[in-house]
Amino acid sequence: MKVTLLQRNVVWADPQENARRNRDIMEKFRGTDLFVLPEMFSTGFATSPEGIAEQLDENGECFTLRWMACTASELDCAVAGSVAVREADGRFFNRLYFVTPQACISYDKHHLFTYGGEALKYSPGKERVMVYWRGVRILLQVCYDVRFPVYARNVAEDGTPEYDAIIYVASWPAKRVSTWKKLLPARAIENQCYVLAVNRVGSDPVCDYIGGTMVIDAMGNTVASCPDTEETSISVELDMDALGRFRKKFPVLDDADGFCLL
């Protein structure tokens, strides 16, 4: 499966302009099976979401979700990225959408960034979510989730791996990006999986961002990465046969503890 990660700047609180800019880039990567965009790619990371988060209509849709569905259909691909949304009942969620031409799967960020105030306004997600797309099983995660390895534990009840890749979409500040770059290989190694990690660049009213977008294999090696500070993209073909051979040759997950939420 071919994946393209988009390390992008984000125009503050302007979903239409961000959609236009992202689509212009995505057109250059036709043939991609999966595009991954950063956290809150339509607005920027807003800890005070009033007036910025996208309001969901009676069908549970918003402008950016409709744009993702249209793009997935026209480019015959999946599009993933998180969006700040407001439900009809007034609750806010940091919602990672995984949209294909046939379906929309969503994951609400579980670990809210209390230190930055996210937990004051957003509601946490309650469930892990995995998707299956073109031969690859993918766990959906958002930014701060990467700090919590138990939540990404890759062991099903029968002791077999549940997934083949983790998506992490982020708005991870430049001053802590060294931590981001250390945690991602750890998640790949301990779960014997690919990690598809996308962080933004640029600035918002609170933070600066320098990226750190990368694809990491199950041994913790960086397969490809975007240069820091640059608004750019990378494409990688995931080698599922190689992943299977590595797991069979070095079956450490057979000795792993079972998954549980404490």
Side-chain angles (χ1 to χ4, degrees):
M1 183 175 75
K2 183 179 181 181
V3 300
T4 299
L5 312 186
L6 282 71
Q7 180 169 284
R8 308 294 294 155
N9 195 358
V10 181
V11 181
W12 181 252
D14 194 339
Q16 288 79 11
E17 179 62 13
N18 288 310
R20 184 191 66 79
R21 292 186 179 196
N22 287 321
R23 182 56 185 267
D24 286 347
I25 297 299
M26 295 161 81
E27 286 286 347
K28 300 177 182 179
F29 291 92
R30 281 185 175 267
T32 289
D33 295 295
L34 168 61
F35 288 98
V36 187
L37 292 151
E39 180 182 23
M40 295 194 191
F41 71 90
S42 69
T43 60
F45 185 75
T47 54
S48 297
E50 296 87 354
I52 295 176
E54 297 190 56
Q55 178 68 53
L56 299 181
D57 62 20
E58 63 276 9
N59 297 315
E61 297 179 350
C62 61
F63 167 81
T64 296
L65 180 55
R66 289 189 291 270
W67 172 81
M68 295 173 78
C70 180
T71 300
S73 179
E74 292 180 357
L75 299 183
D76 187 29
C77 66
V79 182
S82 97
V83 182
V85 299
R86 184 176 187 269
E87 292 275 9
D89 61 8
R91 291 182 301 162
F92 294 99
F93 290 91
N94 184 347
R95 183 162 292 166
L96 173 51
Y97 288 112
F98 189 100
V99 184
T100 75
Q102 295 80 31
C104 171
I105 301 100
S106 64
Y107 161 70
D108 292 330
K109 185 178 182 181
H110 178 66
H111 296 98
L112 299 176
F113 189 45
T114 303
Y115 179 83
E118 186 180 19
L120 296 176
K121 297 294 181 69
Y122 291 85
S123 297
K126 302 299 184 183
E127 298 181 358
R128 294 204 318 169
V129 176
M130 279 166 276
V131 300
Y132 181 77
W133 178 242
R134 294 184 176 170
V136 182
R137 300 168 300 170
I138 304 170
L139 177 68
L140 304 182
Q141 302 268 272
V142 179
C143 200
Y144 193 46
D145 285 331
V146 75
R147 286 184 178 266
F148 303 93
V150 173
Y151 200 64
R153 187 68 51 79
N154 192 14
V155 181
E157 290 183 3
D158 64 359
T160 61
E162 286 189 290
Y163 60 82
D164 309 304
I166 310 175
I167 287 176
Y168 286 108
V169 301
S171 289
W172 196 285
K175 61 186 176 182
R176 291 188 293 273
V177 77
S178 62
T179 302
W180 164 259
K181 292 181 178 181
K182 292 180 177 70
L183 292 171
L184 294 169
R187 299 295 85 80
I189 293 167
E190 69 198 11
N191 294 301
Q192 285 197 318
C193 69
Y194 282 103
V195 165
L196 315 176
V198 182
N199 191 30
R200 65 162 293 184
V201 294
S203 301
D204 63 22
V206 177
C207 291
D208 297 319
Y209 308 89
I210 63 169
T213 296
M214 63 188 79
V215 176
I216 303 168
D217 69 15
M219 292 175 283
N221 300 314
T222 300
V223 177
S225 63
C226 292
D228 286 351
T229 75
E230 292 187 18
E231 193 172 22
T232 187
S233 306
I234 50 173
S235 287
V236 170
E237 191 78 34
L238 302 187
D239 190 339
M240 301 308 298
D241 291 336
L243 176 62
R245 290 193 298 271
F246 176 60
R247 285 175 168 175
K248 184 175 181 179
K249 179 180 179 181
F250 191 54
V252 296
L253 295 181
D254 289 353
D255 300 322
D257 300 317
F259 172 77
C260 67
L261 290 180
L262 302 179

